[in-house]
């Protein structure tokens, strides 16, 4: 049975489920492995991701989809089973990162633009053949003295919209990811202003690119103070400010919003999502598409040792369960102790 793109988008934000972002580029996964003193090789990357995708209960109950990197979507488990099959056998959907990363933006000191539109229709059709159901493109907006510029916001929003149009036409649900970074010392209000500006521009560009919003998912940052800010907001305040800005900017035609974690602690990322859902009813599903906030604990528990696979899977199952509960507003701080 083939699913329509609207059905895929809805499945990605099914109640109590969210997305595992396991699409770290070779450079990023090396950094993660450095933190546990494991060499990053094709085999170690496979073993680590195989451990996650074989966490059967977590995958079946809490993970609607997995974002893969080009290497991983082509990789096989140790026993020869394609990794994409492990994911689909667990009832989850394989997805693929298709952007080519960020590059310095001309005439905009300190700002970047995401590349990768050239040849994208051809790559999309290859990924459809390889079993992908959705795609991701990440744009990066930094807050600092005199930035972001409109030049940067516009260039990134335009590229996101072109990418989304190419994906929908080619048969993949686009995850539209404009990430306002939480690096820096700005307060939550500054993050709110910039996030609102970015989202307004993204939805304008999606409209001009004729993208059917019903077939897309938004992956935004939360509205949160910069990591170095002396004025950190409470969890409830982050939830309130984030929902306020999303309501101003994201049309209800969008089936779901799946947040990135962006460097928040595991439990903060879960708690923020929970408090937002507890504020419902909301015009869209609010869920997660976490990388670090789902993987930090299992990565550490595993530490590259085959005898630790079960411990890594337990750590992953716990975080997946906590976030699944947060996606329906049913998380409680006490439940974290079960870990
Ligand atoms: P984090 O949740 O670690 O921010 O990663 C999500 C992601 O996919 C960033 O593009």
């Amino acid at each position: 049975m083939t699913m329509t793109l609207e059905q895929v988008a809805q499945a990605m934000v099914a109640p109590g489920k969210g997305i595992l972002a396991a699409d770290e580029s070779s450079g990023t996964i090396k950094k993660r492995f450095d933190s546990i003193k494991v060499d990053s090789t094709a085999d170690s990357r496979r073993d680590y991701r195989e451990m996650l995708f074989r966490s059967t209960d977590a995958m079946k109950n809490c993970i609607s989809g997995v974002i893969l990197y080009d290497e991983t979507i082509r990789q096989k488990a140790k026993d020869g089973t394609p990794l994409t099959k492990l994911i689909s056998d667990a009832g989850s959907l394989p997805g693929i990162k298709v952007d080519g990363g960020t590059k310095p933006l001309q005439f905009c000191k300190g700002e970047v633009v995401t590349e990768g539109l050239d040849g994208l229709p051809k790559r999309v059709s290859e990924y459809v053949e390889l079993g992908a159901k959705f795609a991701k493109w990440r744009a990066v907006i930094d807050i600092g003295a005199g930035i972001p510029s409109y030049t940067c916001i516009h260039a990134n929003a335009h590229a996101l919209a072109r990418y989304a149009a190419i994906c929908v036409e080619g048969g993949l649900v686009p995850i539209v990811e404009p990430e306002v970074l939480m690096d820096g010392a700005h307060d939550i209000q500054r993050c709110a202003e910039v996030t609102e500006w970015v989202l307004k521009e993204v939805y304008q560009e999606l409209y001009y690119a004729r993208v059917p919003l019903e077939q897309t998912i938004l992956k935004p940052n939360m509205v949160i103070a910069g990591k170095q800010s002396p004025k950190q907001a409470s969890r409830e305040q982050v939830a309130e400010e984030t929902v306020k800005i999303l309501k101003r900017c994201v049309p209800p035609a969008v089936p779901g919003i799946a947040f990135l974690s962006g460097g928040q602690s595991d439990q903060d990322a879960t708690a923020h999502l929970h408090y937002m859902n507890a504020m419902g009813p909301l015009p869209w599903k609010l869920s997660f598409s976490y990388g670090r906030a789902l993987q930090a604990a299992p990565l550490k528990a595993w530490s590259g040792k085959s005898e630790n696979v079960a411990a890594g899977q337990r750590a992953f199952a716990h975080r997946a369960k906590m976030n699944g509960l947060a996606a329906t507003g049913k998380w409680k701080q006490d439940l974290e102790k079960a870990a």
Side-chain angles (χ1 to χ4, degrees), residues 284-299:
W284 353 252
K285 295 276 180 36
L286 285 191
S287 183
F288 57 92
S289 175
Y290 294 159
R292 283 162 286 178
L294 275 172
Q295 292 188 53
L299 182 73

Side-chain angles (χ1 to χ4, degrees), residues 314-336:
R314 276 198 302 276
F316 176 55
H318 177 70
R319 285 269 45 93
K321 187 170 168 197
M322 294 299 103
N323 286 309
L325 290 169
T328 49
K330 291 188 182 130
W331 171 83
K332 286 194 187 69
Q333 183 70 57
D334 289 356
L335 298 171
E336 292 289 352

Side-chain angles (χ1 to χ4, degrees), residues 106-137:
Q106 291 71 27
F107 303 115
C108 294
K109 197 162 179 291
E111 296 188 290
V112 294
V113 66
T114 302
E115 291 195 334
L117 291 171
D118 286 357
L120 185 55
K122 204 162 152 252
R123 289 196 294 128
V124 164
S125 58
E126 190 194 358
Y127 287 137
V128 168
E129 285 299 310
L130 288 167
K133 301 292 177 203
F134 65 92
K136 159 185 143 172
W137 177 291

Side-chain angles (χ1 to χ4, degrees), residues 21 23 32 67 136 138 177 179 219 260-263 289-293:
D23 60 323
R32 305 276 185 266
I67 317 176
K136 159 185 143 172
R138 173 175 176 256
E177 181 180 2
E179 175 173 5
K219 175 165 174 169
L260 59 93
S261 60
S289 175
Y290 294 159
R292 283 162 286 178

